[in-house]
Amino acid sequence: MTTERMPNPALLWALLLLFWLVPGGSSLAEPAFDSPPERDSAGFFSLDWSGAERFELEQATGPDHADARIIYRGSDTSTTISGLSDNTYRFRIRAEGAETWSDEAVVVVEHHALSRAFLFFALGAAVFVVLLLAIVRGRKLA
Amino acid sequence: MTITEDVAILPEGIAWGLLIAFSILWVFLGWFLGRKNKTAEDHMLAGRNVGLALATATAMATWVTANTTMTAPQLALQLGVWGMFGYSLGALGLILFAPLAKRIRELMPHGFTSGDFIRLRFGKFTWRVFLVVSLIYAFGWLVSLAMAGGVLINALSGIDYRVGMTIILAVCVLYTLLGGLRAVIGTDFVQTIIIILGVAFIAWLTIDKVGFEAIHFNLMEERPELLNLLFPAAIMFLFNNLLFGVGEIFHSNVWWSRAFAFGRSVGFRAYLLAGLLWLPIPIVAGFIALATPALGINVPVADMVGPLVAAEVLGLTGAIVVFIVVFAALASSLDSLLAATSDLVTRDIYRGHIRKSASQHEQFRATKVIVVLLGLLTWAAASYRGELPIIGSLAAVLYFTGAFVASAIWPVVAGLYWRRANPTGAALSMIAGTTLGLVSYFVIGFYVAALVGAAVSLAVLVLFTWIAPRDFDWRSLAEAEPRGTAGATGGVR
C-alpha cells in the first residue's frame, strides 16, 4: 500500500504569488523571436516571431541602437533578411504601438572567406572545362 | 508562415475562377491530345516522331518551372545579382545535352529510359545505384513543384497552402493519366507561349513602375551585399548551379524520354534552341526580387518573393498574370516529371525487378497506377513544408537533390563517349559523389552540394578507368533490344 502525499496548499499559494509579482511574468504573452540564428555565413537568414496581432521589427548594429530603423510593421510573423555586410546586427520586436521592446535577437553576420569562395569557384570551373573537353572530344571520336 | 485572405492581393473568388478555368483547360487538352494514343509507345514516347517546334517548346517549357519562376527570384533575394545570373547558367544543361541527345538517339534507336542505357552500358549494379539517384531526384523535384503550386496560390490569394497544392497536383496527375507524353508535349507548347509573354510583361511593368535608379539606391542602402560581385556564397553558387543543371538534365528520364521521342534529326537542334531561349528567363524572373527594398514590402518566406513583388507592383492585373504564368510553368514541368518518372518506375522497377514477364497491357496499366501513386506520395511530402528540415523552402528541397544528380553527370558522359569507362567506377563515382556532396550540403550550405558531388564523382571514375579500363562495343546498345521493346510497339487496347 502506498501513501499519496498531498502538496502543501501554502506552498502553492506562495508560488502563484511569486509568479504574479516577478517582473516579466506577464511578458509571456508579449512578442518574442522564435529560435533566431546566432551566426550567419551564407548571407541570408530568416527571423520568426509570435505573440501579438501586429508587430514592429527594428534593426540596428550597435548595442545602443543609435542607428536603429524599423524594417517591418504589420501582421506577418516572419521575414527574410539578406544582403547584409559583415557585422553584428540587433533585431528587436514589439507589439505595434507598444512603448517598450519585448525581445531582442543578436545575429553575427560573417560571410565565408573569399579564399574559400574562390577555391570552390576554381574547382567548379575545372570540372566544367573537363566536361566541355569530354563532350567535344567524344563527339569527334564518335 | 502563410498569407491570410484579408491581406492577399488576388480576391479569393478570382483565384478560384482562374484555378478552375485553367484546370479544366489542361485536363481537356490532356484528354484531347491523348485520345490518339493506341500503344504504350504512343503513351510513353509520343510515337517517337516529335517535330522541331513542339520539341523545342517542350524542352524549354519543362525547364521553365517552379525553379525558374519562383526559385530564381528567391536566389536573387538571397544571393543578389550573382544569384539570378548563376541561375541562368542552368541553360547550359540544355545546350550541352544537345550533342548527347543526338548520340543517344543514334546509339539506342529502340531505347525507352535512361535506366535502359545505364543497365546495358554498365550492368545491373551501376543500374541500381543510378535508379536510386534518379528516383530521389525525381521525387525531390516533384515535391518542390507541388510546394511551389501551394506557395503561389497562398501568396497571391490567401487560399490555404495545402488546398492549392492539392488542386495543382491533382490536375497534373489527371491530364498526365489521360494523355501520356503526347498530352504533356502538347500542353507544353501552349504553356511556353504563356510563360514567355507573361514573364516579359511583368519585368517590363516592374522597370516601368519602380525604375532602375530606385532599385539600385535602396539596395545600396539596405542590402548592399546583393550588388556585391564578391559575395562569397554567391561565388560558390555559380558553378554549383551550372553543374546542378547539367546533372539534372544529363541523368533524368525527363530529358532522355524526349531524346527518344524527338524525330531523328530533331534532338540536337531542339535542345540547343531551347537552351538559348531559356537563358534570359531566370534573369528576367529573378530581377523583380531586387525591387523588394525599394517597395518596402516584407518577404515572410524567401520562396514567396516573386509572386509577392509582382502582385505588389502590378496590383490585381499583375497578380492575375503571375498566377497564370506560374501555373503554366508548374503544370508544364509537373506533368513531364510525372510521365517520365512513371515510365522509369514502370520499366526499370516494375518490369526490371518485380514482374519481368509483365505483358504490354500490364505495363500500360502499371504506368497509370504509378502516376497516381507518385502523385499521392508527392502530396504527402509537400504537406510537410516548413515542418521538416529539408522540406523548408523551394531552394532547400531542390538543392538537396543537387548532390545526387551532379554525381550522375560522369557516368552518363563517360558511358556515351568513353569506350573504356569502368562500370564499377561508374557506380562508386555516384555513391562517393552523393555522399560527399550531402556532407558539404549540411556542413557548408546548399550552394556547394552539386559542385562537390560532380568533382568527387569525376575523380573516382577517372581513377577507376585509369587503373582498370574495360572495353565496350557501342553496337551492343543498338543490337541489344531493351526489355519490352518488341511488345511496347504492339497494341494494348
Side-chain angles (χ1 to χ4, degrees), chain B residues 55-253:
Chain B
T56 307
T58 188
M60 192 201 139
T62 303
W63 204 220
V64 177
T65 170
N67 314 357
T68 324
T69 48
M70 293 178 74
T71 312
Q74 177 185 345
L75 291 169
L77 178 73
Q78 292 175 326
L79 297 172
V81 287
W82 278 139
M84 60 187 192
F85 279 110
Y87 205 91
S88 72
L89 292 179
L92 285 170
L94 284 175
I95 292 168
L96 292 179
F97 192 67
L100 271 68
K102 184 168 183 277
R103 182 142 174 88
I104 289 164
R105 193 75 165 81
E106 287 167 358
L107 288 176
M108 299 184 70
H110 309 296
F112 264 77
T113 66
S114 50
D116 280 340
F117 168 74
I118 295 291
R119 178 172 52 79
L120 292 169
R121 178 65 179 87
F122 291 125
K124 286 192 173 176
F125 177 60
T126 311
W127 174 46
R128 285 173 182 146
V129 174
F130 177 82
L131 286 178
V132 171
V133 166
S134 198
L135 291 175
I136 288 177
Y137 162 75
F139 190 61
W141 193 12
L142 275 172
V143 173
S144 81
L145 288 172
M147 280 170 58
V151 168
L152 161 78
I153 292 173
N154 176 250
L156 292 179
S157 67
I159 293 174
D160 183 68
Y161 162 79
R162 278 193 176 87
V163 173
M165 184 268 291
T166 305
I167 292 173
I168 286 192
L169 196 54
V171 167
C172 290
V173 165
L174 192 57
Y175 81 78
T176 307
L177 267 181
L178 289 171
L181 189 61
R182 200 184 293 276
V184 168
I185 290 176
T187 48
D188 279 357
F189 189 78
V190 180
Q191 287 153 352
T192 299
I193 293 167
I194 292 174
I195 291 163
I196 292 178
L197 292 178
V199 168
F201 175 71
I202 292 163
W204 175 71
L205 278 183
T206 305
I207 294 167
D208 189 52
K209 291 208 171 183
V210 186
F212 279 117
E213 203 172 314
I215 291 171
H216 182 263
F217 177 79
N218 283 281
L219 280 173
M220 288 302 290
E221 287 288 306
E222 296 176 29
R223 303 188 187 223
E225 290 296 311
L226 296 185
L227 295 175
N228 183 5
L229 297 183
L230 293 176
F231 187 155
I235 291 171
M236 294 153 94
F237 169 75
L238 280 177
F239 277 105
N240 181 79
N241 193 63
L242 190 157
L243 293 168
F244 179 38
V246 169
E248 283 182 280
I249 291 182
F250 278 25
H251 94 284
S252 172
N253 197 48

Side-chain angles (χ1 to χ4, degrees), chain A residues 76 78-80 82-85 112, chain B residues 77 223-225 232 298-300 447:
Chain A
D76 290 348
S78 60
T79 191
T80 303
S82 67
L84 299 180
S85 306
H112 292 290
Chain B
L77 178 73
R223 303 188 187 223
E225 290 296 311
N298 182 51
V299 181
Y447 37 87

Side-chain angles (χ1 to χ4, degrees), chain B residues 256-399:
Chain B
W256 280 70
S257 64
R258 280 162 174 70
F260 293 128
F262 295 167
R264 276 197 176 278
S265 58
V266 169
F268 182 89
R269 286 178 296 155
Y271 277 111
L272 190 63
L273 269 176
L276 293 173
L277 284 170
W278 188 88
L279 190 71
I281 289 184
I283 297 172
V284 178
F287 163 77
I288 63 169
L290 297 179
T292 306
L295 294 165
I297 60 170
N298 182 51
V299 181
V301 184
D303 53 17
M304 285 181 166
V305 64
L308 283 177
V309 172
E312 178 74 21
V313 173
L314 312 173
L316 184 61
T317 313
I320 291 172
V321 173
V322 171
F323 192 97
I324 294 170
V325 167
V326 184
F327 193 5
L330 280 168
S332 68
S333 307
L334 202 48
D335 59 5
S336 301
L337 195 55
L338 280 168
T341 309
S342 69
D343 292 352
L344 189 71
V345 174
T346 303
R347 291 191 56 81
D348 293 89
I349 305 285
Y350 175 68
R351 181 154 164 78
H353 287 86
I354 298 169
R355 196 174 165 83
K356 293 182 180 173
S357 59
S359 69
Q360 260 312 290
H361 184 69
E362 285 171 326
Q363 283 186 70
F364 195 63
R365 203 173 50 196
T367 307
K368 299 197 168 194
V369 172
I370 289 162
V371 167
V372 176
L373 287 177
L374 279 172
L376 287 173
L377 275 175
T378 304
W379 177 83
S383 297
Y384 285 98
R385 172 177 172 265
E387 293 170 34
L388 295 175
I390 294 165
I391 310 177
S393 71
L394 292 175
V397 174
L398 200 63
Y399 285 94

Side-chain angles (χ1 to χ4, degrees), chain A residues 40-49 54 57 59 69 71-73 75-86 89 109 111-142, chain B residues 1-4 7 76-79 92 96 99-100 102-103 219 221-226 230-236 238-240 242-243 246 250 268 296-303 409-410 413 416-418 440 443-448 451-452 454-455 458:
Chain A
D40 167 65
S41 57
F44 53 86
F45 56 92
S46 63
L47 290 173
D48 300 79
W49 57 82
R54 293 180 63 83
L57 177 68
Q59 178 186 316
R69 62 188 177 89
I71 59 170
Y72 175 64
R73 191 176 279 128
S75 58
D76 290 348
T77 55
S78 60
T79 191
T80 303
I81 305 288
S82 67
L84 299 180
S85 306
D86 284 356
Y89 294 88
V109 174
H111 289 272
H112 292 290
L114 268 177
S115 55
R116 175 189 259 195
F118 279 114
L119 180 71
F120 279 101
F121 184 85
L123 182 67
V127 174
F128 179 60
V129 169
V130 175
L131 179 66
L132 278 182
L133 289 175
I135 294 174
V136 171
R137 187 168 171 273
R139 277 200 78 197
K140 279 185 184 171
L141 292 177
Chain B
M1 169 67 207
T2 55
I3 299 284
T4 51
V7 295
L77 178 73
Q78 292 175 326
L79 297 172
L92 285 170
L96 292 179
L100 271 68
K102 184 168 183 277
R103 182 142 174 88
L219 280 173
E221 287 288 306
E222 296 176 29
R223 303 188 187 223
E225 290 296 311
L226 296 185
L230 293 176
F231 187 155
I235 291 171
M236 294 153 94
L238 280 177
F239 277 105
N240 181 79
L242 190 157
L243 293 168
V246 169
F250 278 25
F268 182 89
I297 60 170
N298 182 51
V299 181
V301 184
D303 53 17
I409 294 173
W410 294 102
V413 173
L416 286 168
Y417 292 119
W418 298 358
S440 66
V443 173
I444 300 170
F446 75 79
Y447 37 87
V448 292
L451 198 164
V452 171
L458 170 63

Side-chain angles (χ1 to χ4, degrees), chain B residues 7-52:
Chain B
V7 295
I9 290 169
L10 200 59
E12 203 183 338
I14 294 180
W16 275 111
L18 288 170
L19 202 55
I20 292 167
F22 278 88
S23 297
I24 292 171
L25 175 67
W26 302 144
V27 173
F28 170 76
L29 281 174
W31 165 81
F32 182 76
L33 296 164
R35 75 194 194 289
K36 289 179 184 168
N37 288 345
K38 298 277 185 263
T39 67
E41 186 154 294
D42 277 346
H43 190 80
M44 292 165 79
L45 297 176
R48 292 187 194 268
N49 197 26
V50 177
L52 183 63

